[in-house]
Amino acid sequence: MAGLTAAAVAAVAFLAYQASANAPDSVASTPSPKTSASASAQASAKPKAPVDPLAVPAASGTGERVVYALKDRRVWLVGEDNKATRAFTVMPSPVSPPPGVYHVTSRSGTVQGSDGVPIEHVVRFASVDEVTVGFSAAQDGSMASPDPTSKTGGVRMKRADGNAMWTFATVGAKVVVIP
């Protein structure tokens, strides 16, 4: 039995060696640089601070505003004191406004979304190539990915976040879109 186990281990080791020797450079692993014991002790001595989910992005302006980070798919509701009262994730629309400062232009309590989904708490703030862009929440609570080929501007959020947005972002409120 021990002989069979040793033969199996040797066969697996041989096959693993062959696979790694014949792997293209793009998938072959590279040895990591060696570090001294003192360097690794220093690195582990300083644990990373937890990220504050309410930390407002630095380049998002000042004062009361809605901050919409396109890449992060995240929104912050920021008070006059430059501190976020709420932050949440969103599902972006296929049409997004370029980074910049906008203002809420109109709001609707409940309407039919351009994708056919009943939505509530619509807060419109931009227009891109004749497509209106705004925040909204689906009445069924869904945040499905939109059809990427559609020309819609609805940035979807959960219903509780939509309620908070509705209360916070009245007509004229500042919306800062960052990359």
Side-chain angles (χ1 to χ4, degrees), residues 54-136:
L54 291 178
V56 179
S60 66
T62 60
E64 189 172 290
R65 64 201 181 279
V66 174
V67 177
Y68 174 29
L70 297 170
K71 181 180 158 201
D72 293 335
R73 297 177 169 201
R74 194 159 181 80
V75 169
W76 292 261
L77 304 180
V78 184
E80 191 62 43
D81 60 358
N82 292 310
K83 293 184 181 183
T85 57
R86 188 180 189 101
F88 48 90
T89 57
V90 295
M91 178 57 65
S93 58
V95 177
S96 294
V101 177
Y102 302 87
H103 290 89
V104 174
T105 56
S106 67
R107 299 171 3 129
S108 295
T110 57
V111 296
Q112 188 82 6
S114 55
D115 58 359
V117 175
I119 57 176
E120 64 186 7
H121 298 140
V122 181
V123 176
R124 298 175 196 89
F125 64 93
S127 182
V128 178
D129 296 329
E130 298 182 22
V131 175
T132 301
V133 180
F135 302 110
S136 64

Side-chain angles (χ1 to χ4, degrees), residues 14-30:
F14 175 74
L15 291 173
Y17 168 76
Q18 269 191 323
S20 68
N22 294 322
D25 289 340
S26 64
V27 295
S29 64
T30 57

